[in-house]
Amino acid sequence: MRLIIVSGSQRQHSESAKVAAYIASAAGQYKTVQHIELCKYQLPFWDGDDKSKSAPGCDWPLISEALVKADAFVLITPEWQGMATPILKNFLMMCTPDDTAHKPALLVSVVGGVSGANPIAELRMNGCKNNKLVAIPDHLIIRNVGDVLNTLANEALSNEPDQSIHHRDKSIRHRIGYSLHTLHLYSQALGKIRQCQQQQPYAQQEQYSYGM
């Protein structure tokens, strides 16, 4: 599985990037794993015109090249005012079916408190309409993110004074492992669908490039 992890915080050194780094390390057994931290790229504000994707200084051609080669995605967003971030939604609007159609995506919400469900619902509702990504049923909500997935060895975590934090950290690490395994299975299944679509295309398929 060629996996791309997209972290959608608009801040450098974010908790979303920390989560992405952990997921990348947990997915190390797969063929290739690439982390795209959107705040480090120059992308236009999407206006519906494909010409903006090839404007001087725009990094979209580099990103698109990686998306085309990918088998699966992890999309990570912090919860800002109960929403997914503008930079991630802009990224999803820039994606076309040629980049992402019929490829599975694991949705991940990152929050400093105990909420985090709203960005998942938002992305399921309108994040995959025209790019034809397939959000898998499993998703992750990393709550109290400052307390978990930090760069401590697992053995050191057992010495954490607050054992409830240790338990939550251990639990979310196991959940991430399970979610990545499920994503891998979806990538295998959907790879066959993409292959069949190439071999047996619908006669007027171009007319249905947009979702309803």
Side-chain angles (χ1 to χ4, degrees):
M1 178 173 70
R2 294 179 293 271
L3 177 66
I4 287 185
I5 303 167
V6 179
S7 56
S9 177
Q10 292 168 216
R11 299 170 177 167
Q12 299 277 351
H13 312 296
S14 66
E15 293 288 356
S16 296
K18 178 190 81 173
V19 171
Y22 176 79
I23 292 175
S25 68
Q29 75 270 31
Y30 299 116
K31 186 174 181 179
T32 60
V33 180
Q34 181 179 354
H35 175 204
I36 295 176
E37 193 173 352
L38 291 177
C39 66
K40 294 183 177 180
Y41 291 84
Q42 294 296 320
L43 297 178
F45 189 72
W46 178 233
D47 62 0
D49 188 348
D50 280 337
K51 292 180 181 178
S52 63
K53 294 181 179 181
S54 55
C58 176
D59 290 327
W60 182 255
L62 293 174
I63 293 177
S64 179
E65 182 181 0
L67 300 182
V68 169
K69 295 176 182 178
D71 299 311
F73 302 91
V74 176
L75 304 179
I76 304 173
T77 180
E79 183 180 56
W80 283 8
Q81 303 291 335
M83 296 180 287
T85 56
I87 197 172
L88 181 62
K89 291 189 283 187
N90 187 59
F91 163 81
L92 290 170
M93 285 191 289
M94 293 181 72
C95 292
T96 68
D98 289 338
D99 299 318
T100 56
H102 310 297
K103 296 179 181 181
L106 170 64
L107 305 181
V108 182
S109 175
V110 173
V111 63
V114 295
S115 55
N118 286 341
I120 299 292
E122 179 184 10
L123 293 174
R124 286 196 185 281
M125 180 177 68
N126 57 31
C128 305
K129 174 181 174 289
N130 288 345
N131 55 42
K132 300 193 177 182
L133 272 168
V134 180
I136 68 172
D138 287 293
H139 60 257
L140 293 166
I141 302 176
I142 314 297
R143 297 186 167 102
N144 299 114
V145 67
D147 294 334
V148 297
L149 305 181
N150 294 312
T151 54
L152 295 173
N154 287 334
E155 302 81 36
L157 289 171
S158 62
N159 298 321
E160 177 66 49
D162 188 341
Q163 287 300 306
S164 66
I165 293 177
H166 169 58
H167 175 75
R168 285 190 288 110
D169 186 272
K170 185 177 180 180
S171 176
I172 198 63
R173 290 172 190 247
H174 282 301
R175 183 80 188 199
I176 288 170
Y178 160 77
S179 297
L180 287 173
H181 174 71
T182 303
L183 182 66
H184 177 54
L185 297 179
Y186 271 90
S187 75
Q188 292 177 319
L190 289 177
K192 295 177 182 178
I193 289 179
R194 295 195 303 276
Q195 184 180 35
C196 287
Q197 280 204 325
Q198 291 175 356
Q199 295 171 349
Q200 307 170 39
Y202 185 71
Q204 297 174 316
Q205 187 167 302
E206 300 79 13
Q207 297 182 19
Y208 305 103
S209 58
Y210 298 108
M212 289 188 71

